[in-house]
Amino acid sequence: MDKARKRILMNRPAPEVADSAGSVAEMPDGSPLLANRSVSIEDEALLHTRSATSNKIALLTVFGGIGGFLFGYDTGVISGALPYLRDDLLVHYITDKTQLVWIQEVIVSAAVIGAGFGSAIGGWLSDKLGRKKALLLGDVLFTVGALSMAAARSPNALITGRAFVGLGVGLASVTVPVYIAEAAPPSVRATLVTVNVLMITTGQFVAYLVDFLCTFLPGTWRWMLGVAMVPAIVQLVGLLFLPESPKWLASNGQAAAAEQALRSLREPEDVEADVAEMQQAAEAESKLQSWTLLRSPVVRAELRVGLGLQILQQLGGINTVMYYTPAILELAGFRDNRTALLVAMLPAAVNSVGTLIGMWQIDKCGRRKLLLGSMACVIVALSMLGYAFHLAEADSPPVAVGTASTCPAPDCSTCLHQACTFCGSADDPMAAGICITPREQCPASAKQQLHPYTSGCPSHYNWLIIGTLMLYLAAFSPGMGPVPWAVNAEIYPVQLRGLGGGAAATCNWITNAVVSQTFLTLIQHLGGSGTFWLYAVIALAGAVWVYFALPETNGMSLEEVQDLFHAKFGGGSTSRLTPQQPASVEEEP
């Protein structure tokens, strides 16, 4: 017997059984005889309604979350495709390391820039057209982009396809959290919004798995990039059977449709109160235009919090890890592409498990505490990751004296920092090798096979780097991953929820583009150690800001969150839009 049925049986008064004369039948001890406590037709209908409601919310969360899956898949898949693109579509850049680094950063950043633009217009589109229509448009753009990438015959065509995919991802990244937050009950709102983040991390893991499987197919990278259209089509079909956001419908004057949508997403006993609160908020906010609201000090405070959290998330270095995990592993000395992809699944799996922990805790311990705890652990993990790279750089194999080296350097690490190539033994990676200019090939040797190292050097500390990388993701994923999205989905007025979330997501993508565009360059100039220590310093500064800037919104309805910000930033007023008017209080006789 399920919990709802038990609750009904416990609370339902049991009827007394009357005899044929109309009196109440008694037991031998004189107590009234009670009928069997069976569930009435009304109770069964209530249970059926609750079950349908739960299923509809679950379907909405899952199908909406596919937008997060697309976000994660695109983030992860390109990292596995880059090594194979270097050997095929980018092969003519191989003799110029600077140009090769630049074109790889452009390919990665094209989707990020597209996503920034998509999220900027996505907030406006989701406010004007509705959450569902914005997501459907994103699916179409993502599908077109995936097909374009799979068929690309030049770097420019690939970059164009990446930009289309980015537009679709940007629309999804701003719309999905708002769509789920507006449909979810307050008690589980952050947990359900975090499902979107779980789908992002799951998409990243699946991307590495698909990347690995596609290494056994001809046209490797084309399969990696093209298969992304499948989940986009699945989401498009699924959304056709789901309701529009009831809060969006109410804010656009469609009260009857809003109530109908809400009845499919709420327990029957909660519908009337939720409808009344939703309509009251919509009527109050409809008195002011969106651009008028932007002049409010409360809304500006909400934007500072929302935009700041998204910028901070990216400055913590997360997507450099997700975009470039195989490259980081090459930097750590893993020279085989397939091996690097296999090992890359470990950090991706840790990221998914950490997000599950965040889902479990975010509605229990609250957004603020979870985020601050996560950031403290991230600072420690980034410092340790930088130190692991420092040990690895100091442990690199030497350049053999009196060999055919054409690029003077004492060891492998110095050789690569000079943009040269280190030729090391394939049998004994720590043996002395030679350093050559990037335009040369490693010389053939009768004694040993030489392997070119262009990104990172062999080291005894490879597994320390992997361990600290997973520690970083375990620290990041429960708090810094989901909290910025959850907070941005709940802190804005309904008329600005899409626009505010879009502005925050745009800041996320712009910062993402800057970080991803500069990562390989920072590695060239600062090395792995200096780069991750820089991210640690930024995370420390961000933790101080979060401590003073972020209020707790745990357990509040979306309307109560507005009251919280008005009380904190509106001069003590709890009115959502205007200073609170004196209310007459009638004393009870």
Side-chain angles (χ1 to χ4, degrees), residues 272-292:
E272 290 186 10
D274 284 358
V275 167
E277 185 176 25
M278 184 176 65
Q279 290 179 344
Q280 180 183 8
E283 289 170 4
E285 290 168 355
S286 66
K287 296 176 182 178
L288 293 176
Q289 298 298 317
S290 297
W291 297 110
T292 304

Side-chain angles (χ1 to χ4, degrees), residues 58-73 131-143 165 167-180 195-197 199-200 227-243:
L59 285 173
L60 185 146
T61 302
V62 170
F63 278 104
I66 292 176
F69 181 91
L70 295 173
F71 182 169
Y73 186 88
R131 317 310 187 199
K132 270 183 61 176
K133 290 180 181 177
L135 284 175
L136 291 170
L137 177 58
D139 288 330
V140 172
L141 291 170
F142 198 98
T143 302
V165 164
L167 285 170
V169 168
L171 278 171
S173 69
V174 63
T175 308
V176 169
V178 173
Y179 185 41
I180 295 175
V195 169
N196 180 56
V197 184
M199 295 291 274
I200 294 174
V227 76
M229 65 181 172
V230 175
I233 294 172
V234 170
Q235 185 185 45
L236 189 150
V237 173
L239 285 172
L240 297 176
F241 300 94
L242 293 172

Side-chain angles (χ1 to χ4, degrees), residues 479-558:
M480 286 189 74
V483 171
W485 296 105
V487 170
N488 270 282
E490 65 189 9
I491 62 174
Y492 306 113
V494 65
Q495 281 188 307
L496 286 177
R497 199 161 289 143
L499 190 62
T506 301
C507 287
N508 182 293
W509 285 109
I510 291 174
T511 312
N512 186 341
V514 171
V515 172
S516 60
Q517 183 70 33
T518 57
F519 176 68
L520 294 180
T521 303
L522 285 174
I523 289 292
Q524 272 191 310
H525 291 87
L526 301 179
S529 56
T531 300
F532 288 105
W533 281 335
L534 175 62
Y535 294 149
V537 171
I538 293 172
L540 177 60
V544 174
W545 174 78
V546 166
Y547 182 83
F548 291 102
L550 180 64
E552 183 56 74
T553 57
N554 192 37
M556 298 180 179
S557 70
L558 295 177

Side-chain angles (χ1 to χ4, degrees), residues 20 112 240 306:
S20 59
V112 179
L240 297 176

Side-chain angles (χ1 to χ4, degrees), residues 12 74 105 135 161 183 210 255 259 263 342 344 347 359 380 418 467 488 518 523 559 562:
R12 181 177 174 83
D74 179 68
E105 290 177 332
L135 284 175
V210 169
E259 182 173 349
R263 288 188 181 281
L342 267 177
M359 285 178 59
V380 173
Q418 295 176 176
N488 270 282
T518 57
I523 289 292
E559 290 74 21
Q562 288 303 298

Side-chain angles (χ1 to χ4, degrees), residues 105-347:
E105 290 177 332
V106 170
I107 289 171
V108 170
S109 298
V112 179
I113 294 170
F117 184 71
S119 62
I121 64 170
W124 176 79
L125 280 174
S126 70
D127 280 342
K128 292 296 180 183
L129 304 179
R131 317 310 187 199
K132 270 183 61 176
K133 290 180 181 177
L135 284 175
L136 291 170
L137 177 58
D139 288 330
V140 172
L141 291 170
F142 198 98
T143 302
V144 170
L147 288 171
S148 300
M149 290 189 297
R153 298 294 176 183
S154 68
N156 287 338
L158 178 65
I159 291 167
T160 301
R162 290 277 296 161
F164 271 97
V165 164
L167 285 170
V169 168
L171 278 171
S173 69
V174 63
T175 308
V176 169
V178 173
Y179 185 41
I180 295 175
E182 290 182 339
S187 60
V188 293
R189 184 177 62 243
T191 299
L192 294 186
V193 171
T194 305
V195 169
N196 180 56
V197 184
L198 176 64
M199 295 291 274
I200 294 174
T201 59
T202 302
Q204 290 165 342
F205 177 80
V206 170
Y208 290 129
L209 179 60
V210 169
D211 282 349
F212 175 74
L213 295 176
C214 287
T215 61
F216 298 96
L217 299 175
T220 304
W221 61 268
R222 296 185 186 277
W223 286 102
M224 294 175 179
L225 301 176
V227 76
M229 65 181 172
V230 175
I233 294 172
V234 170
Q235 185 185 45
L236 189 150
V237 173
L239 285 172
L240 297 176
F241 300 94
L242 293 172
E244 178 56 89
S245 160
K247 293 185 186 292
W248 181 85
L249 291 169
S251 69
N252 282 269
Q254 302 180 46
E259 182 173 349
Q260 182 180 0
L262 197 63
R263 288 188 181 281
S264 70
L265 298 169
R266 290 287 188 277
E267 301 288 357
E269 62 269 23
D270 296 333
V271 171
E272 290 186 10
D274 284 358
V275 167
E277 185 176 25
M278 184 176 65
Q279 290 179 344
Q280 180 183 8
E283 289 170 4
E285 290 168 355
S286 66
K287 296 176 182 178
L288 293 176
Q289 298 298 317
S290 297
W291 297 110
T292 304
L293 288 174
L294 288 174
R295 294 200 296 267
S296 163
V298 176
V299 172
R300 290 200 297 268
E302 292 166 346
L303 287 169
R304 283 196 301 271
V305 170
L307 273 60
L309 288 177
Q310 293 287 26
I311 291 170
L312 181 60
Q313 183 192 69
Q314 292 305 311
L315 290 180
I318 181 59
N319 276 325
T320 63
V321 173
M322 302 318 300
Y323 285 133
Y324 295 111
T325 294
I328 291 171
L329 295 177
E330 284 186 46
L331 185 67
F334 290 87
R335 60 185 178 84
D336 179 68
N337 291 338
R338 191 171 289 167
T339 301
L341 283 172
L342 267 177
V343 177
M345 292 184 200
L346 292 175

Side-chain angles (χ1 to χ4, degrees), residues 24 36 53 58 89 96 146 181 198 203 208 312 322 358 431 460 474-475:
V24 176
N36 292 331
T53 296
L89 202 64
D96 189 335
L198 176 64
Y208 290 129
L312 181 60
M322 302 318 300
H460 293 105

